[in-house]
Amino acid sequence: MPAPAAMPSAAARPAAVQKPGRESGLELLRILCMLFIIADHYAGQSGAAVYDTLPRALFFSALGAGSRLGCDIFVVLGAWFLCRQPFHTRRALGLWLSLWLYTVPLTLLCWFIPGSGVGLGTLRWAMFPVSTQQLWFVAQYILLLLLSPALNLLLRAAPRPAMRGLLAAVGVFLVGYPTLFAEDGIFGDWLWSFVFLYLLVGYLRFYPDNRLSRLMQAPAAPWLALAFVAALTAGRGAAQWLGVGGKVMQYLEYYRTALGAAPNLLCALAFFFAFQKLRLGSVGAVNRLASATLGVYVIHQTPAVMGLLWTGLFRTADHAGSAGYALFVIAAVYLGCTAIDLARERLVMRPIRGSRWFAALCRRGDETLGALDKIFPDR
């Protein structure tokens, strides 16, 4: 038999093209935002928050300091990349499937746990998680994804002065009015805030020489944002300890929780640009943890799970006012939900995304909604 041909040497073989890994600075920001969201849910849902002393009031106010800020940052992160990319149905469809394949199985599982309180109403919600919007952020984000081709078309087609004027006019109602009066006004639906923030971020990326970008990228911007959050947190904690209500608490609470209030919006942009500049490279562990943020949010906020998690599994009411136990639960919820989501991604979602029916649905969706991307060339 002829001798087998020798394998080509490493020098003779063409080098494999390595796809650059995702920059980990922004992925680290995702992780921090999710931790703040869990912390806020612990303070607001577990029954363990106590404000009877100033240290406790400051601590539990700090736990709730970054939840809505984190939501704004998640929208900024998505808009920054989506506004320059063609529409992909697999994003919206994959997000909806990820949501549905958590809410339904988790609710059915809790159905069989004695004392869970899960009934037909809860199961009906689980079957239609977007329309019922109890997981409001994911529901609104899916709608934003579906609107993104039209929003990208607007960003590409409108002249710069027209887009600046549109943002200024709409911003009066979505940012100016809420900031001045600490109430939502006529545009109170969260989707309006998502759309406005998407267009604003798109404008910042299409025209990087704008004044707002320069201000938000100044070296002092993230430190001023951090100082504002700390001051707002201290003021809220002191007000709760002293029992202050009325307009003072209204403004403190609103600036903490409103997506469209100027303080939240500006702080979100300042933190985004700061983490974008970190240049950590691609850190595999950080990127894997960050990939599970959606699952972490959905698992611990599915209504059938929520009560069992705080009062059943962790018995938080037995540890009311304990700072150490609060930090332990927050870390445990994050790490436990992350492990579940990473396992589900490998065992369930990857086979689904590789199936023929999923590819066919994505192809049809891209042909329909993706056609808007071709009307005007990218800037």
Side-chain angles (χ1 to χ4, degrees):
M1 294 180 62
M7 291 291 292
S9 66
R13 293 196 299 271
V17 178
Q18 294 290 333
K19 185 178 179 180
R22 187 189 293 265
E23 172 62 43
S24 295
L26 294 178
E27 299 306 292
L28 178 60
L29 182 59
R30 292 181 198 271
I31 295 172
L32 294 175
C33 287
M34 185 50 60
L35 286 170
F36 273 110
I37 288 172
I38 297 172
D40 181 50
H41 291 159
Y42 180 90
Q45 298 170 0
S46 69
V50 176
Y51 301 92
D52 57 349
T53 66
L54 182 58
R56 282 179 167 177
L58 293 175
F59 174 77
F60 284 103
S61 292
L63 289 188
S67 178
R68 287 296 193 269
L69 179 59
C71 293
D72 269 343
I73 290 174
F74 277 128
V75 177
V76 171
L77 285 164
W80 184 263
F81 297 103
L82 290 172
C83 71
R84 300 304 295 264
Q85 295 177 357
F87 178 80
H88 294 296
T89 304
R90 66 184 296 111
R91 290 195 188 101
L93 182 58
L95 185 57
W96 181 85
L97 278 174
S98 293
L99 178 61
W100 196 86
L101 290 175
Y102 267 131
T103 58
V104 174
L106 287 174
T107 302
L108 287 173
L109 179 63
C110 292
W111 181 297
F112 297 101
I113 298 177
S116 66
V118 175
L120 290 176
T122 311
L123 185 58
R124 179 192 64 82
W125 171 85
M127 296 292 293
F128 303 98
V130 175
S131 60
T132 51
Q133 295 199 24
Q134 291 195 39
L135 282 172
W136 67 272
F137 182 86
V138 182
Q140 300 290 357
Y141 196 82
I142 291 174
L143 295 176
L144 184 67
L145 285 177
L146 296 176
L147 290 173
S148 63
L151 299 177
N152 290 348
L153 175 62
L154 177 61
L155 286 166
R156 289 196 296 267
R160 181 174 183 175
M163 181 56 62
R164 185 170 57 237
L166 174 64
L167 289 170
V170 176
V172 169
F173 299 98
L174 285 174
V175 180
Y177 182 92
T179 303
L180 287 175
F181 299 102
E183 58 185 32
D184 291 338
I186 59 175
F187 293 101
D189 191 275
W190 287 309
L191 186 59
W192 286 107
S193 295
F194 278 34
V195 169
F196 175 79
L197 191 51
Y198 188 103
L199 291 175
L200 176 62
V201 171
Y203 178 84
L204 298 183
R205 185 157 194 201
F206 275 66
Y207 308 104
D209 60 334
N210 65 84
R211 294 178 182 176
L212 182 57
S213 286
R214 291 199 296 270
L215 286 173
M216 294 298 99
Q217 296 185 68
W223 299 108
L224 290 174
L226 187 61
F228 174 83
V229 173
L232 184 66
T233 300
R236 178 173 172 262
Q240 287 184 312
W241 174 57
L242 295 171
V244 176
K247 281 291 184 181
V248 173
M249 183 55 75
Q250 178 183 338
Y251 275 89
L252 290 171
E253 277 295 299
Y254 193 80
Y255 286 171
R256 182 184 73 89
T257 61
L259 294 174
N264 250 351
L265 193 152
L266 294 175
C267 288
L269 291 173
F271 290 136
F272 168 79
F273 284 119
F275 276 82
Q276 188 186 46
K277 294 177 181 178
L278 284 183
R279 297 294 182 262
L280 299 179
S282 182
V283 183
V286 171
N287 293 357
R288 280 192 295 274
L289 288 174
S291 70
T293 51
L294 170 68
V296 174
Y297 173 77
V298 174
I299 293 170
H300 88 281
Q301 283 299 284
T302 295
V305 174
M306 196 187 308
L308 293 173
L309 182 69
W310 304 126
T311 63
L313 179 61
F314 289 108
R315 298 186 178 277
T316 53
D318 297 339
H319 303 273
S322 172
Y325 193 73
L327 296 176
F328 161 73
V329 172
I330 292 165
V333 169
Y334 176 77
L335 294 174
C337 292
T338 296
I340 293 171
D341 189 71
L342 291 177
R344 193 196 66 143
E345 172 65 25
R346 177 181 293 272
L347 299 174
V348 178
M349 294 307 298
R350 284 187 187 176
I352 288 177
R353 292 193 184 98
S355 65
R356 292 183 178 180
W357 66 266
F358 187 86
L361 286 174
C362 292
R363 186 166 54 251
R364 179 63 60 87
D366 291 347
E367 292 170 355
T368 304
L369 291 176
L372 291 174
D373 289 318
K374 302 176 182 178
I375 296 178
F376 287 90
D378 195 5
R379 293 184 187 274

